[in-house]
Amino acid sequence: MSEPRASGSIALVDVNCFYASAERAFDPSLEGRPVVVLSNNDGCAVTRSPEAKALGIPLGEPWFKLAARAREWGLVARSSNYELYGDISARVMELLGRYSAWLEVYSIDEAFLGVRGSPEELLRLGQAMKTAVRRNVGVPVCVGIAATKTLAKLANKWAKHNPTFDGVCHWDSVPADRQELLMAGLSVIELWGVSTRLTKRLNGLGIHTVLDLARADPVRIRDRFSVVLMRTVLELRGTPCIPLEEERIGRDQLIFSRSFATPISTPAAMRQVLGIYAQQASARLARHGLQAKVLTAFAATSHYNPRDSSHPSVCVSLPMPTADPVLLARAAYALLPRIDDGVKYARAGVMVTDLRPTANQAPLAVFENAHEERGIGPLLEEVSRKYGRGSIGLGHAGIRAGPDWTMKRDMLSPRYTTHWDELPVVKAA
């Protein structure tokens, strides 16, 4: 489908079954066993190892349905260990960055790299990256290399599911007739950015496979669908239309929301929730050099609560763009008068919008915020980084003992790489 290139290729490196692989990196006893990693509050399976998939366990299957047969299957469940996964991800990305001057972290478990070389050199590079990540970080990856991001995504998929590629697929090294065979065997829904609804519309035009779309008239696709889908067609033909970015910027909003392990039924408890989320929003804004002009706070009862139904929300326009935790917490507390005492709330959250880069010029004295001048937000973040989350907080958000509404993680593995008291211990024979 595309002519071999000597330079200017794109590699997509993706960690296989990332959460499950991160758990196995420090617990070899999980190798070869079916493993599922559960969502917040140990709700349902969000990651399945190949062995768990072989048992027929569907994605999103509730844990309470799996628990009854877990012993029979030898199934191991783990709660989501976000600190471990985040650190493993950072290690993978740092290592991959050594192989390219350009790296775009696309998600927690995959990244695009700009790479150069002949097909033979790129195949060796792919194998080198795969071996280095496995040896130095302990997780398996697959590598797809092609002229465009869309083809690199597909090449990665084939590297992962077709043993003949041995975990690395360089698209230009695949014979043209086999390229067409691979494309013909893949539904358009497998393409990056193609939804179920879009798939149905494409099917209505007789476009069922990736090969069908690659052969479609780009102008017709643009007129019937969008410029975005036209770019996908061109990318499938080997024409780069989606540039590699060093860093994706331009956030529209930040949301901090969780379901509670134990429902909250008092305004006092909700005050603590909102304070903690406002503090987290402040830290994230400061980390990205952003300030917010609008804060929205909300809460909701469970859809399965037959007695109570309450979904209060409030939108507060802040007096000035800010990342100050005091001002954000005060704004979030505007929700409290709308919280019904005795009603069991299952979820709450804080969203900050109208985000702007932190001003480089100091405001006039009349508009200065005393809390930001004192650097309260950066101080809280510095203490939290040094002593851990929950070590300090503002007002009700600073209660040391963990509240009973926090996320349930009864099967949490140790945070091997981020907490001194949870470091793995090696015993010499």
Side-chain angles (χ1 to χ4, degrees):
M1 297 296 295
S2 57
E3 293 300 319
R5 296 160 59 99
S7 62
S9 297
I10 294 175
L12 177 68
V13 184
D14 176 43
V15 182
N16 303 340
C17 303
F18 177 60
Y19 287 0
S21 295
E23 294 287 349
R24 285 173 166 173
F26 289 93
D27 188 353
S29 69
L30 299 179
E31 291 288 347
R33 300 177 63 184
V35 177
V36 293
V37 176
L38 305 176
S39 62
N40 294 341
N41 293 315
D42 294 341
C44 59
V46 293
T47 295
R48 303 154 297 157
S49 70
E51 296 82 3
K53 293 176 183 178
L55 290 173
I57 296 174
L59 188 66
E61 184 75 356
W63 171 241
F64 74 85
K65 291 185 178 181
L66 298 173
R69 302 191 64 184
R71 183 183 295 273
E72 172 191 346
W73 288 337
L75 179 65
V76 180
R78 289 285 185 265
S79 302
S80 295
N81 191 338
Y82 298 117
E83 287 188 65
L84 175 65
Y85 307 151
D87 189 64
I88 292 289
S89 173
R91 294 176 185 224
V92 171
M93 301 309 167
E94 190 278 331
L95 183 57
L96 292 177
R98 304 177 191 178
Y99 290 87
S100 172
W102 300 91
L103 173 71
E104 177 189 337
V105 178
Y106 182 69
S107 68
I108 192 172
D109 62 344
E110 58 184 325
F112 289 106
L113 294 84
V115 293
R116 292 179 178 274
S118 66
E120 295 76 17
E121 291 170 334
L122 290 175
L123 278 172
R124 289 196 295 270
L125 177 65
Q127 287 292 344
M129 289 190 289
K130 174 189 168 191
T131 301
V133 174
R134 183 63 166 174
R135 177 183 297 145
N136 296 304
V137 185
V139 293
V141 301
C142 284
V143 183
I145 304 173
T148 70
K149 282 186 173 182
T150 302
L151 284 176
K153 274 266 193 182
L154 289 177
N156 183 280
K157 186 185 294 288
W158 287 310
K160 186 176 296 184
H161 299 293
N162 193 322
T164 60
F165 289 114
D166 191 27
V168 178
C169 174
H170 179 250
W171 185 239
D172 290 340
S173 297
V174 179
D177 58 340
R178 193 166 180 218
Q179 287 181 359
E180 293 190 356
L181 188 63
L182 289 169
M183 283 186 167
L186 211 57
S187 167
V188 287
I189 200 172
E190 299 290 339
L191 278 172
W192 186 24
V194 176
S195 64
T196 302
R197 182 177 178 182
L198 182 55
T199 297
K200 291 179 180 178
R201 292 180 61 196
L202 288 168
N203 291 167
L205 292 177
I207 299 174
H208 298 275
T209 69
V210 172
L211 183 61
D212 293 335
L213 186 60
R215 289 175 170 174
D217 179 2
V219 176
R220 182 175 180 234
I221 292 295
R222 181 198 62 193
D223 295 342
R224 297 291 296 267
F225 297 93
S226 66
V227 172
V228 174
L229 191 59
M230 181 187 74
R231 289 174 183 159
T232 298
V233 175
L234 294 174
E235 290 238 328
L236 288 173
R237 296 180 174 190
T239 302
C241 298
I242 307 173
L244 195 68
E245 304 170 6
E246 284 189 90
E247 182 179 3
R248 291 187 294 162
I249 59 177
R251 298 168 183 270
D252 296 322
Q253 62 185 22
L254 294 174
I255 300 176
F256 298 83
S257 178
R258 287 285 186 275
S259 296
F260 306 134
T262 302
I264 283 180
S265 56
T266 67
M270 187 64 73
R271 186 183 187 90
Q272 184 187 23
V273 173
L274 296 174
I276 290 174
Y277 289 168
Q279 185 173 315
Q280 291 175 346
S282 168
R284 185 75 62 83
L285 287 169
R287 195 175 306 138
H288 294 287
L290 296 172
Q291 295 178 323
K293 188 65 173 62
V294 178
L295 181 142
T296 302
F298 56 90
T301 53
S302 170
H303 296 295
Y304 303 102
N305 187 336
R307 189 181 68 177
D308 300 321
S309 180
S310 179
H311 301 82
S313 65
V314 63
C315 184
V316 180
S317 180
L318 300 164
M320 66 193 75
T322 182
D324 177 60
V326 177
L327 292 182
L328 295 178
R330 286 176 179 171
Y333 293 158
L335 180 70
L336 296 176
R338 306 187 183 193
I339 298 298
D340 296 323
D341 198 359
V343 171
K344 295 182 177 180
Y345 291 94
R347 187 179 184 87
V350 164
M351 178 173 67
V352 288
T353 53
D354 194 359
L355 307 186
R356 312 171 184 186
T358 301
N360 296 322
Q361 187 174 6
L364 297 174
V366 68
F367 297 113
E368 287 181 352
N369 173 16
H371 303 113
E372 285 187 311
E373 289 297 311
R374 295 170 187 165
I376 291 178
L379 174 63
L380 293 174
E381 180 65 10
E382 183 180 349
V383 173
S384 296
R385 277 201 308 266
K386 188 171 183 179
Y387 297 104
R389 296 293 171 189
S391 58
I392 191 171
L394 292 170
H396 290 259
I399 296 176
R400 177 68 180 180
D404 58 6
W405 53 264
T406 50
M407 186 168 55
K408 179 176 71 174
R409 294 192 288 178
D410 293 337
M411 293 166 279
L412 184 67
S413 56
R415 295 162 293 184
Y416 298 102
T417 61
T418 57
H419 286 65
W420 286 108
D421 56 347
E422 297 180 27
L423 288 175
V425 177
V426 177
K427 296 181 180 179

